[in-house]
Amino acid sequence: MRRSAARLPATSLLLTAALGWAGLGAAQSSDGAAFKFSGSQRSRYESISAQFRRTVPGPDQAFTLHTSLSFDWRLPRVTVVGELLDARTEANDAGSYLSGSMVNTLEPFQAYVAWRHANAADPKTYSVLRAGRMTLDLGKRRLLARSRFGNTATSFMGVDWEWHGAGGALAHALYFRPMEILPDDRTALLANDVGLDHTTRRTSLTVGYYQWAPLSDKSTIEAYVLRYQRRPTPDPSFSSADAADHTSLGARIYRPASAGHLRDEVEIVVQR
């Protein structure tokens, strides 16, 4: 599904107005339900005098705009989260380098429901089950995280179970399917056209993660396993070289900085 997006002036004015309203978007009812609406906007100009890509000739420039509008509707046990992302680039021409890492116009980037279950005997022990389209930062963010620098980011469709234990223990178990950023053809990217993303076929990410409660010296230990699979498809355009089955097994121990102590961190990751 694709349609031509409005050019910079009209769309930017609309999103800017929404951002102004977002600053006032917080309310809470007497039954504990709360609604929060927020937004952010980042504009950045980039220029390069000599390309490091062989296929891109000459110097290049880009004016990138990254706008996010999100809402968070919290009920006593259920939370509904949504986010609209508008990532576009201007000041490009026919010779500019463009990809899905730069353009994802008017995309419903996050849309999920979270159900919270608390332990009646110990309120500090609870679990959260999320289902839908979402992003996730795992541990130190080395292997699974939402990009903070790029103009677009990676999101997933799937289920994430998160458990919090007394004393700071934390666990994650999730099954995700990566979303493919669309459109992906050069003409559409240059025009900042709208194309709804879809899940990547026969591709999955399965993760198990556990963080122990901090030790007496405030050191924390975590361990995790991630498996990324991309299985062959009947599509003639799919090359067997694109198939993948990668497993990452890792552990990290760290201690936050404190008076009289340095910040310590050691992480080991084995991949196959």
Side-chain angles (χ1 to χ4, degrees), residues 137-186:
D137 291 346
L138 188 71
K140 187 63 174 178
R141 306 179 70 253
R142 285 192 171 94
L143 299 179
L144 179 60
R146 176 170 177 166
S147 173
R148 296 174 181 172
F149 180 80
N151 207 41
T152 63
T154 301
S155 64
F156 303 89
M157 184 74 73
V159 178
D160 169 40
W161 176 76
E162 178 181 328
W163 173 82
H164 292 258
L170 173 66
H172 272 283
L174 61 89
Y175 178 82
F176 281 166
R177 294 187 63 188
M179 299 296 293
E180 181 180 357
I181 297 177
L182 294 175
D184 56 3
D185 63 280
R186 179 175 179 76

mmCIF file of all heavy atoms in Angstrom, residues 137-186:
data_model
loop_
_atom_site.group_PDB
_atom_site.id
_atom_site.type_symbol
_atom_site.label_atom_id
_atom_site.label_comp_id
_atom_site.label_asym_id
_atom_site.label_seq_id
_atom_site.Cartn_x
_atom_site.Cartn_y
_atom_site.Cartn_z
ATOM 1 N N ASP A 137 14.682 -2.384 24.094
ATOM 2 C CA ASP A 137 16.094 -2.289 24.455
ATOM 3 C C ASP A 137 16.395 -3.428 25.422
ATOM 4 O O ASP A 137 15.765 -3.529 26.475
ATOM 5 C CB ASP A 137 16.408 -0.951 25.116
ATOM 6 C CG ASP A 137 16.320 0.209 24.143
ATOM 7 O OD1 ASP A 137 16.279 -0.039 22.927
ATOM 8 O OD2 ASP A 137 16.286 1.366 24.601
ATOM 9 N N LEU A 138 17.364 -4.272 25.086
ATOM 10 C CA LEU A 138 17.691 -5.430 25.904
ATOM 11 C C LEU A 138 19.082 -5.264 26.499
ATOM 12 O O LEU A 138 20.062 -5.082 25.770
ATOM 13 C CB LEU A 138 17.634 -6.703 25.060
ATOM 14 C CG LEU A 138 17.776 -8.021 25.826
ATOM 15 C CD1 LEU A 138 16.521 -8.284 26.661
ATOM 16 C CD2 LEU A 138 18.016 -9.186 24.856
ATOM 17 N N GLY A 139 19.166 -5.305 27.826
ATOM 18 C CA GLY A 139 20.461 -5.225 28.493
ATOM 19 C C GLY A 139 21.216 -3.958 28.130
ATOM 20 O O GLY A 139 20.700 -2.840 28.212
ATOM 21 N N LYS A 140 22.458 -4.121 27.689
ATOM 22 C CA LYS A 140 23.333 -3.009 27.335
ATOM 23 C C LYS A 140 23.010 -2.438 25.958
ATOM 24 O O LYS A 140 23.634 -1.494 25.511
ATOM 25 C CB LYS A 140 24.797 -3.492 27.400
ATOM 26 C CG LYS A 140 25.837 -2.409 27.224
ATOM 27 C CD LYS A 140 25.803 -1.361 28.322
ATOM 28 C CE LYS A 140 26.963 -0.379 28.163
ATOM 29 N NZ LYS A 140 26.929 0.662 29.183
ATOM 30 N N ARG A 141 22.052 -3.004 25.250
ATOM 31 C CA ARG A 141 21.627 -2.545 23.926
ATOM 32 C C ARG A 141 22.626 -2.901 22.829
ATOM 33 O O ARG A 141 22.585 -2.325 21.752
ATOM 34 C CB ARG A 141 21.373 -1.024 23.907
ATOM 35 C CG ARG A 141 20.406 -0.523 24.962
ATOM 36 C CD ARG A 141 20.215 0.985 24.919
ATOM 37 N NE ARG A 141 19.487 1.381 23.732
ATOM 38 C CZ ARG A 141 20.038 1.989 22.690
ATOM 39 N NH1 ARG A 141 21.350 2.245 22.665
ATOM 40 N NH2 ARG A 141 19.311 2.345 21.652
ATOM 41 N N ARG A 142 23.512 -3.853 23.076
ATOM 42 C CA ARG A 142 24.497 -4.195 22.050
ATOM 43 C C ARG A 142 23.882 -5.027 20.930
ATOM 44 O O ARG A 142 24.249 -4.867 19.766
ATOM 45 C CB ARG A 142 25.677 -4.950 22.675
ATOM 46 C CG ARG A 142 26.632 -4.075 23.472
ATOM 47 C CD ARG A 142 27.917 -4.801 23.830
ATOM 48 N NE ARG A 142 28.896 -3.887 24.401
ATOM 49 C CZ ARG A 142 29.044 -3.680 25.703
ATOM 50 N NH1 ARG A 142 28.273 -4.325 26.562
ATOM 51 N NH2 ARG A 142 29.948 -2.833 26.163
ATOM 52 N N LEU A 143 22.969 -5.924 21.276
ATOM 53 C CA LEU A 143 22.436 -6.844 20.277
ATOM 54 C C LEU A 143 20.989 -6.551 19.895
ATOM 55 O O LEU A 143 20.569 -6.884 18.793
ATOM 56 C CB LEU A 143 22.541 -8.290 20.789
ATOM 57 C CG LEU A 143 23.955 -8.795 21.085
ATOM 58 C CD1 LEU A 143 23.912 -10.225 21.592
ATOM 59 C CD2 LEU A 143 24.844 -8.697 19.846
ATOM 60 N N LEU A 144 20.241 -5.947 20.785
ATOM 61 C CA LEU A 144 18.838 -5.650 20.490
ATOM 62 C C LEU A 144 18.481 -4.309 21.114
ATOM 63 O O LEU A 144 18.479 -4.162 22.340
ATOM 64 C CB LEU A 144 17.930 -6.755 21.047
ATOM 65 C CG LEU A 144 16.421 -6.573 20.836
ATOM 66 C CD1 LEU A 144 16.093 -6.489 19.344
ATOM 67 C CD2 LEU A 144 15.658 -7.714 21.487
ATOM 68 N N ALA A 145 18.184 -3.320 20.263
ATOM 69 C CA ALA A 145 17.890 -1.985 20.766
ATOM 70 C C ALA A 145 17.265 -1.134 19.666
ATOM 71 O O ALA A 145 17.424 -1.411 18.473
ATOM 72 C CB ALA A 145 19.165 -1.303 21.271
ATOM 73 N N ARG A 146 16.568 -0.091 20.086
ATOM 74 C CA ARG A 146 16.044 0.905 19.149
ATOM 75 C C ARG A 146 17.126 1.935 18.879
ATOM 76 O O ARG A 146 17.696 2.512 19.808
ATOM 77 C CB ARG A 146 14.801 1.571 19.729
ATOM 78 C CG ARG A 146 14.255 2.686 18.858
ATOM 79 C CD ARG A 146 12.911 3.157 19.347
ATOM 80 N NE ARG A 146 12.420 4.282 18.553
ATOM 81 C CZ ARG A 146 11.166 4.723 18.580
ATOM 82 N NH1 ARG A 146 10.277 4.129 19.359
ATOM 83 N NH2 ARG A 146 10.794 5.744 17.833
ATOM 84 N N SER A 147 17.411 2.172 17.610
ATOM 85 C CA SER A 147 18.456 3.117 17.242
ATOM 86 C C SER A 147 18.114 4.518 17.737
ATOM 87 O O SER A 147 16.990 5.003 17.575
ATOM 88 C CB SER A 147 18.634 3.134 15.717
ATOM 89 O OG SER A 147 19.521 4.163 15.325
ATOM 90 N N ARG A 148 19.094 5.184 18.333
ATOM 91 C CA ARG A 148 18.914 6.553 18.811
ATOM 92 C C ARG A 148 19.507 7.584 17.854
ATOM 93 O O ARG A 148 19.250 8.777 18.001
ATOM 94 C CB ARG A 148 19.574 6.710 20.189
ATOM 95 C CG ARG A 148 18.933 5.862 21.275
ATOM 96 C CD ARG A 148 19.719 5.950 22.575
ATOM 97 N NE ARG A 148 19.124 5.126 23.627
ATOM 98 C CZ ARG A 148 19.687 4.909 24.811
ATOM 99 N NH1 ARG A 148 20.870 5.463 25.093
ATOM 100 N NH2 ARG A 148 19.098 4.161 25.710
ATOM 101 N N PHE A 149 20.324 7.129 16.896
ATOM 102 C CA PHE A 149 20.992 8.068 16.006
ATOM 103 C C PHE A 149 20.362 8.097 14.615
ATOM 104 O O PHE A 149 20.210 9.162 14.021
ATOM 105 C CB PHE A 149 22.474 7.721 15.882
ATOM 106 C CG PHE A 149 23.240 8.661 14.978
ATOM 107 C CD1 PHE A 149 23.666 9.896 15.443
ATOM 108 C CD2 PHE A 149 23.505 8.319 13.664
ATOM 109 C CE1 PHE A 149 24.349 10.774 14.610
ATOM 110 C CE2 PHE A 149 24.191 9.184 12.823
ATOM 111 C CZ PHE A 149 24.614 10.414 13.300
ATOM 112 N N GLY A 150 20.032 6.942 14.076
ATOM 113 C CA GLY A 150 19.503 6.876 12.719
ATOM 114 C C GLY A 150 18.177 7.604 12.573
ATOM 115 O O GLY A 150 17.465 7.864 13.557
ATOM 116 N N ASN A 151 17.815 7.917 11.340
ATOM 117 C CA ASN A 151 16.567 8.628 11.105
ATOM 118 C C ASN A 151 15.368 7.700 11.248
ATOM 119 O O ASN A 151 14.280 8.131 11.612
ATOM 120 C CB ASN A 151 16.578 9.271 9.712
ATOM 121 C CG ASN A 151 15.688 10.496 9.651
ATOM 122 O OD1 ASN A 151 15.659 11.294 10.575
ATOM 123 N ND2 ASN A 151 14.947 10.652 8.556
ATOM 124 N N THR A 152 15.546 6.415 10.939
ATOM 125 C CA THR A 152 14.503 5.417 11.167
ATOM 126 C C THR A 152 15.019 4.411 12.193
ATOM 127 O O THR A 152 16.147 4.515 12.667
ATOM 128 C CB THR A 152 14.122 4.698 9.868
ATOM 129 O OG1 THR A 152 15.258 3.967 9.375
ATOM 130 C CG2 THR A 152 13.674 5.683 8.804
ATOM 131 N N ALA A 153 14.205 3.451 12.527
ATOM 132 C CA ALA A 153 14.595 2.440 13.506
ATOM 133 C C ALA A 153 13.911 1.124 13.160
ATOM 134 O O ALA A 153 12.985 1.079 12.351
ATOM 135 C CB ALA A 153 14.226 2.885 14.921
ATOM 136 N N THR A 154 14.384 0.062 13.805
ATOM 137 C CA THR A 154 13.826 -1.262 13.583
ATOM 138 C C THR A 154 12.745 -1.550 14.621
ATOM 139 O O THR A 154 12.920 -1.265 15.807
ATOM 140 C CB THR A 154 14.918 -2.338 13.696
ATOM 141 O OG1 THR A 154 15.932 -2.074 12.729
ATOM 142 C CG2 THR A 154 14.347 -3.724 13.459
ATOM 143 N N SER A 155 11.626 -2.090 14.172
ATOM 144 C CA SER A 155 10.568 -2.506 15.087
ATOM 145 C C SER A 155 10.179 -3.951 14.765
ATOM 146 O O SER A 155 10.567 -4.504 13.732
ATOM 147 C CB SER A 155 9.353 -1.582 14.988
ATOM 148 O OG SER A 155 8.771 -1.666 13.700
ATOM 149 N N PHE A 156 9.387 -4.535 15.653
ATOM 150 C CA PHE A 156 9.055 -5.949 15.527
ATOM 151 C C PHE A 156 7.572 -6.170 15.806
ATOM 152 O O PHE A 156 6.951 -5.426 16.572
ATOM 153 C CB PHE A 156 9.867 -6.785 16.529
ATOM 154 C CG PHE A 156 11.355 -6.626 16.408
ATOM 155 C CD1 PHE A 156 12.015 -5.635 17.114
ATOM 156 C CD2 PHE A 156 12.098 -7.463 15.587
ATOM 157 C CE1 PHE A 156 13.393 -5.479 17.013
ATOM 158 C CE2 PHE A 156 13.469 -7.314 15.474
ATOM 159 C CZ PHE A 156 14.121 -6.331 16.190
ATOM 160 N N MET A 157 7.062 -7.244 15.209
ATOM 161 C CA MET A 157 5.719 -7.714 15.514
ATOM 162 C C MET A 157 5.869 -9.001 16.310
ATOM 163 O O MET A 157 6.601 -9.913 15.902
ATOM 164 C CB MET A 157 4.928 -7.989 14.227
ATOM 165 C CG MET A 157 3.482 -8.391 14.465
ATOM 166 S SD MET A 157 2.441 -6.987 14.972
ATOM 167 C CE MET A 157 2.324 -6.111 13.395
ATOM 168 N N GLY A 158 5.202 -9.083 17.473
ATOM 169 C CA GLY A 158 5.343 -10.305 18.235
ATOM 170 C C GLY A 158 4.849 -10.187 19.663
ATOM 171 O O GLY A 158 4.004 -9.343 19.985
ATOM 172 N N VAL A 159 5.413 -11.049 20.523
ATOM 173 C CA VAL A 159 4.994 -11.153 21.915
ATOM 174 C C VAL A 159 6.228 -11.074 22.806
ATOM 175 O O VAL A 159 7.252 -11.716 22.530
ATOM 176 C CB VAL A 159 4.252 -12.474 22.174
ATOM 177 C CG1 VAL A 159 3.848 -12.597 23.637
ATOM 178 C CG2 VAL A 159 3.019 -12.587 21.288
ATOM 179 N N ASP A 160 6.137 -10.298 23.892
ATOM 180 C CA ASP A 160 7.225 -10.151 24.849
ATOM 181 C C ASP A 160 6.669 -10.324 26.254
ATOM 182 O O ASP A 160 5.727 -9.623 26.649
ATOM 183 C CB ASP A 160 7.888 -8.774 24.708
ATOM 184 C CG ASP A 160 8.852 -8.462 25.849
ATOM 185 O OD1 ASP A 160 9.581 -9.384 26.267
ATOM 186 O OD2 ASP A 160 8.865 -7.313 26.314
ATOM 187 N N TRP A 161 7.250 -11.280 27.002
ATOM 188 C CA TRP A 161 6.881 -11.476 28.408
ATOM 189 C C TRP A 161 8.020 -10.983 29.273
ATOM 190 O O TRP A 161 9.171 -11.384 29.106
ATOM 191 C CB TRP A 161 6.603 -12.952 28.684
ATOM 192 C CG TRP A 161 6.320 -13.241 30.134
ATOM 193 C CD1 TRP A 161 5.169 -12.986 30.816
ATOM 194 C CD2 TRP A 161 7.223 -13.847 31.077
ATOM 195 N NE1 TRP A 161 5.289 -13.379 32.128
ATOM 196 C CE2 TRP A 161 6.546 -13.923 32.318
ATOM 197 C CE3 TRP A 161 8.529 -14.326 30.984
ATOM 198 C CZ2 TRP A 161 7.141 -14.456 33.457
ATOM 199 C CZ3 TRP A 161 9.116 -14.856 32.125
ATOM 200 C CH2 TRP A 161 8.429 -14.924 33.343
ATOM 201 N N GLU A 162 7.708 -10.083 30.199
ATOM 202 C CA GLU A 162 8.709 -9.493 31.086
ATOM 203 C C GLU A 162 8.320 -9.752 32.537
ATOM 204 O O GLU A 162 7.173 -9.504 32.929
ATOM 205 C CB GLU A 162 8.801 -7.987 30.821
ATOM 206 C CG GLU A 162 9.775 -7.236 31.702
ATOM 207 C CD GLU A 162 9.794 -5.755 31.393
ATOM 208 O OE1 GLU A 162 9.585 -5.381 30.229
ATOM 209 O OE2 GLU A 162 9.988 -4.960 32.331
ATOM 210 N N TRP A 163 9.280 -10.250 33.322
ATOM 211 C CA TRP A 163 9.025 -10.559 34.725
ATOM 212 C C TRP A 163 9.969 -9.776 35.616
ATOM 213 O O TRP A 163 11.171 -9.690 35.352
ATOM 214 C CB TRP A 163 9.209 -12.051 34.965
ATOM 215 C CG TRP A 163 9.139 -12.451 36.421
ATOM 216 C CD1 TRP A 163 8.007 -12.678 37.156
ATOM 217 C CD2 TRP A 163 10.246 -12.673 37.301
ATOM 218 N NE1 TRP A 163 8.343 -13.023 38.449
ATOM 219 C CE2 TRP A 163 9.722 -13.036 38.567
ATOM 220 C CE3 TRP A 163 11.631 -12.605 37.135
ATOM 221 C CZ2 TRP A 163 10.533 -13.312 39.655
ATOM 222 C CZ3 TRP A 163 12.448 -12.872 38.227
ATOM 223 C CH2 TRP A 163 11.892 -13.232 39.473
ATOM 224 N N HIS A 164 9.428 -9.165 36.674
ATOM 225 C CA HIS A 164 10.210 -8.431 37.661
ATOM 226 C C HIS A 164 10.092 -9.147 39.001
ATOM 227 O O HIS A 164 8.978 -9.361 39.498
ATOM 228 C CB HIS A 164 9.703 -6.992 37.799
ATOM 229 C CG HIS A 164 9.938 -6.153 36.592
ATOM 230 N ND1 HIS A 164 10.952 -5.225 36.506
ATOM 231 C CD2 HIS A 164 9.288 -6.094 35.399
ATOM 232 C CE1 HIS A 164 10.914 -4.633 35.328
ATOM 233 N NE2 HIS A 164 9.913 -5.137 34.632
ATOM 234 N N GLY A 165 11.235 -9.469 39.579
ATOM 235 C CA GLY A 165 11.233 -10.140 40.867
ATOM 236 C C GLY A 165 11.688 -9.210 41.973
ATOM 237 O O GLY A 165 12.266 -8.142 41.732
ATOM 238 N N ALA A 166 11.442 -9.621 43.191
ATOM 239 C CA ALA A 166 11.856 -8.823 44.341
ATOM 240 C C ALA A 166 13.375 -8.711 44.375
ATOM 241 O O ALA A 166 14.083 -9.661 44.071
ATOM 242 C CB ALA A 166 11.352 -9.478 45.621
ATOM 243 N N GLY A 167 13.867 -7.536 44.708
ATOM 244 C CA GLY A 167 15.308 -7.334 44.795
ATOM 245 C C GLY A 167 15.969 -6.915 43.506
ATOM 246 O O GLY A 167 17.172 -6.673 43.466
ATOM 247 N N GLY A 168 15.222 -6.818 42.408
ATOM 248 C CA GLY A 168 15.796 -6.336 41.153
ATOM 249 C C GLY A 168 16.029 -7.388 40.087
ATOM 250 O O GLY A 168 16.601 -7.095 39.035
ATOM 251 N N ALA A 169 15.585 -8.619 40.305
ATOM 252 C CA ALA A 169 15.706 -9.647 39.265
ATOM 253 C C ALA A 169 14.785 -9.298 38.094
ATOM 254 O O ALA A 169 13.727 -8.681 38.273
ATOM 255 C CB ALA A 169 15.356 -11.014 39.824
ATOM 256 N N LEU A 170 15.190 -9.692 36.900
ATOM 257 C CA LEU A 170 14.436 -9.346 35.697
ATOM 258 C C LEU A 170 14.592 -10.448 34.661
ATOM 259 O O LEU A 170 15.686 -11.002 34.489
ATOM 260 C CB LEU A 170 14.950 -8.020 35.113
ATOM 261 C CG LEU A 170 14.402 -7.564 33.771
ATOM 262 C CD1 LEU A 170 12.914 -7.240 33.876
ATOM 263 C CD2 LEU A 170 15.172 -6.340 33.266
ATOM 264 N N ALA A 171 13.503 -10.783 33.974
ATOM 265 C CA ALA A 171 13.551 -11.819 32.937
ATOM 266 C C ALA A 171 12.740 -11.371 31.724
ATOM 267 O O ALA A 171 11.752 -10.634 31.869
ATOM 268 C CB ALA A 171 13.026 -13.144 33.472
ATOM 269 N N HIS A 172 13.176 -11.810 30.551
ATOM 270 C CA HIS A 172 12.458 -11.575 29.298
ATOM 271 C C HIS A 172 12.395 -12.883 28.516
ATOM 272 O O HIS A 172 13.369 -13.631 28.454
ATOM 273 C CB HIS A 172 13.182 -10.546 28.422
ATOM 274 C CG HIS A 172 12.817 -9.125 28.672
ATOM 275 N ND1 HIS A 172 11.646 -8.555 28.219
ATOM 276 C CD2 HIS A 172 13.473 -8.147 29.321
ATOM 277 C CE1 HIS A 172 11.607 -7.292 28.584
ATOM 278 N NE2 HIS A 172 12.702 -7.016 29.254
ATOM 279 N N ALA A 173 11.254 -13.119 27.895
ATOM 280 C CA ALA A 173 11.112 -14.201 26.922
ATOM 281 C C ALA A 173 10.270 -13.640 25.790
ATOM 282 O O ALA A 173 9.154 -13.144 26.030
ATOM 283 C CB ALA A 173 10.444 -15.424 27.538
ATOM 284 N N LEU A 174 10.785 -13.666 24.575
ATOM 285 C CA LEU A 174 10.062 -13.027 23.481
ATOM 286 C C LEU A 174 10.225 -13.780 22.166
ATOM 287 O O LEU A 174 11.194 -14.511 21.946
ATOM 288 C CB LEU A 174 10.519 -11.574 23.317
ATOM 289 C CG LEU A 174 11.981 -11.304 22.974
ATOM 290 C CD1 LEU A 174 12.212 -11.284 21.464
ATOM 291 C CD2 LEU A 174 12.435 -9.975 23.585
ATOM 292 N N TYR A 175 9.234 -13.568 21.325
ATOM 293 C CA TYR A 175 9.265 -14.086 19.950
ATOM 294 C C TYR A 175 8.841 -12.944 19.047
ATOM 295 O O TYR A 175 7.717 -12.436 19.147
ATOM 296 C CB TYR A 175 8.336 -15.283 19.782
ATOM 297 C CG TYR A 175 8.305 -15.820 18.359
ATOM 298 C CD1 TYR A 175 9.292 -16.692 17.914
ATOM 299 C CD2 TYR A 175 7.300 -15.435 17.474
ATOM 300 C CE1 TYR A 175 9.275 -17.181 16.613
ATOM 301 C CE2 TYR A 175 7.276 -15.913 16.171
ATOM 302 C CZ TYR A 175 8.267 -16.785 15.746
ATOM 303 O OH TYR A 175 8.255 -17.261 14.456
ATOM 304 N N PHE A 176 9.739 -12.520 18.154
ATOM 305 C CA PHE A 176 9.508 -11.372 17.289
ATOM 306 C C PHE A 176 9.659 -11.764 15.818
ATOM 307 O O PHE A 176 10.439 -12.667 15.483
ATOM 308 C CB PHE A 176 10.523 -10.257 17.568
ATOM 309 C CG PHE A 176 10.218 -9.427 18.786
ATOM 310 C CD1 PHE A 176 11.190 -8.585 19.329
ATOM 311 C CD2 PHE A 176 8.975 -9.454 19.398
ATOM 312 C CE1 PHE A 176 10.924 -7.810 20.444
ATOM 313 C CE2 PHE A 176 8.699 -8.681 20.515
ATOM 314 C CZ PHE A 176 9.679 -7.855 21.035
ATOM 315 N N ARG A 177 8.958 -11.014 14.980
ATOM 316 C CA ARG A 177 9.184 -11.028 13.536
ATOM 317 C C ARG A 177 9.555 -9.601 13.125
ATOM 318 O O ARG A 177 8.782 -8.664 13.366
ATOM 319 C CB ARG A 177 7.952 -11.512 12.781
ATOM 320 C CG ARG A 177 7.615 -12.967 13.040
ATOM 321 C CD ARG A 177 6.491 -13.444 12.147
ATOM 322 N NE ARG A 177 6.872 -13.399 10.734
ATOM 323 C CZ ARG A 177 6.014 -13.613 9.732
ATOM 324 N NH1 ARG A 177 4.741 -13.845 9.987
ATOM 325 N NH2 ARG A 177 6.439 -13.555 8.485
ATOM 326 N N PRO A 178 10.726 -9.390 12.523
ATOM 327 C CA PRO A 178 11.149 -8.032 12.151
ATOM 328 C C PRO A 178 10.212 -7.421 11.113
ATOM 329 O O PRO A 178 9.679 -8.115 10.242
ATOM 330 C CB PRO A 178 12.557 -8.249 11.559
ATOM 331 C CG PRO A 178 12.988 -9.591 12.054
ATOM 332 C CD PRO A 178 11.747 -10.401 12.190
ATOM 333 N N MET A 179 10.038 -6.109 11.222
ATOM 334 C CA MET A 179 9.249 -5.381 10.234
ATOM 335 C C MET A 179 10.167 -4.886 9.118
ATOM 336 O O MET A 179 11.267 -4.393 9.376
ATOM 337 C CB MET A 179 8.554 -4.186 10.884
ATOM 338 C CG MET A 179 7.577 -4.554 11.995
ATOM 339 S SD MET A 179 6.171 -5.536 11.431
ATOM 340 C CE MET A 179 5.320 -4.352 10.389
ATOM 341 N N GLU A 180 9.717 -5.029 7.893
ATOM 342 C CA GLU A 180 10.464 -4.543 6.727
ATOM 343 C C GLU A 180 9.996 -3.135 6.376
ATOM 344 O O GLU A 180 8.805 -2.897 6.163
ATOM 345 C CB GLU A 180 10.258 -5.474 5.538
ATOM 346 C CG GLU A 180 11.013 -5.061 4.296
ATOM 347 C CD GLU A 180 10.810 -5.998 3.126
ATOM 348 O OE1 GLU A 180 10.115 -7.021 3.303
ATOM 349 O OE2 GLU A 180 11.323 -5.702 2.032
ATOM 350 N N ILE A 181 10.935 -2.193 6.342
ATOM 351 C CA ILE A 181 10.597 -0.799 6.070
ATOM 352 C C ILE A 181 10.266 -0.620 4.589
ATOM 353 O O ILE A 181 11.039 -1.004 3.709
ATOM 354 C CB ILE A 181 11.752 0.128 6.476
ATOM 355 C CG1 ILE A 181 11.990 0.039 7.992
ATOM 356 C CG2 ILE A 181 11.456 1.569 6.083
ATOM 357 C CD1 ILE A 181 13.156 0.870 8.483
ATOM 358 N N LEU A 182 9.103 -0.038 4.326
ATOM 359 C CA LEU A 182 8.640 0.212 2.960
ATOM 360 C C LEU A 182 8.224 1.676 2.826
ATOM 361 O O LEU A 182 7.855 2.312 3.820
ATOM 362 C CB LEU A 182 7.454 -0.708 2.630
ATOM 363 C CG LEU A 182 7.767 -2.206 2.562
ATOM 364 C CD1 LEU A 182 6.488 -2.995 2.348
ATOM 365 C CD2 LEU A 182 8.782 -2.501 1.468
ATOM 366 N N PRO A 183 8.263 2.210 1.592
ATOM 367 C CA PRO A 183 8.720 1.573 0.357
ATOM 368 C C PRO A 183 10.234 1.428 0.325
ATOM 369 O O PRO A 183 10.947 2.044 1.122
ATOM 370 C CB PRO A 183 8.224 2.526 -0.735
ATOM 371 C CG PRO A 183 8.223 3.859 -0.064
ATOM 372 C CD PRO A 183 7.816 3.598 1.358
ATOM 373 N N ASP A 184 10.716 0.617 -0.638
ATOM 374 C CA ASP A 184 12.161 0.400 -0.717
ATOM 375 C C ASP A 184 12.745 0.713 -2.091
ATOM 376 O O ASP A 184 13.915 0.458 -2.332
ATOM 377 C CB ASP A 184 12.502 -1.043 -0.337
ATOM 378 C CG ASP A 184 11.765 -2.067 -1.193
ATOM 379 O OD1 ASP A 184 11.044 -1.647 -2.115
ATOM 380 O OD2 ASP A 184 11.915 -3.277 -0.927
ATOM 381 N N ASP A 185 11.914 1.255 -2.986
ATOM 382 C CA ASP A 185 12.454 1.629 -4.294
ATOM 383 C C ASP A 185 12.884 3.092 -4.276
ATOM 384 O O ASP A 185 12.321 3.924 -3.547
ATOM 385 C CB ASP A 185 11.436 1.377 -5.408
ATOM 386 C CG ASP A 185 10.189 2.226 -5.258
ATOM 387 O OD1 ASP A 185 9.325 1.834 -4.448
ATOM 388 O OD2 ASP A 185 10.099 3.272 -5.913
ATOM 389 N N ARG A 186 13.873 3.411 -5.068
ATOM 390 C CA ARG A 186 14.528 4.716 -5.025
ATOM 391 C C ARG A 186 13.579 5.878 -5.327
ATOM 392 O O ARG A 186 13.618 6.913 -4.653
ATOM 393 C CB ARG A 186 15.695 4.706 -6.018
ATOM 394 C CG ARG A 186 16.415 6.025 -6.050
ATOM 395 C CD ARG A 186 17.639 5.991 -6.934
ATOM 396 N NE ARG A 186 18.259 7.288 -6.922
ATOM 397 C CZ ARG A 186 18.994 7.755 -5.914
ATOM 398 N NH1 ARG A 186 19.192 7.009 -4.848
ATOM 399 N NH2 ARG A 186 19.519 8.964 -5.949
#
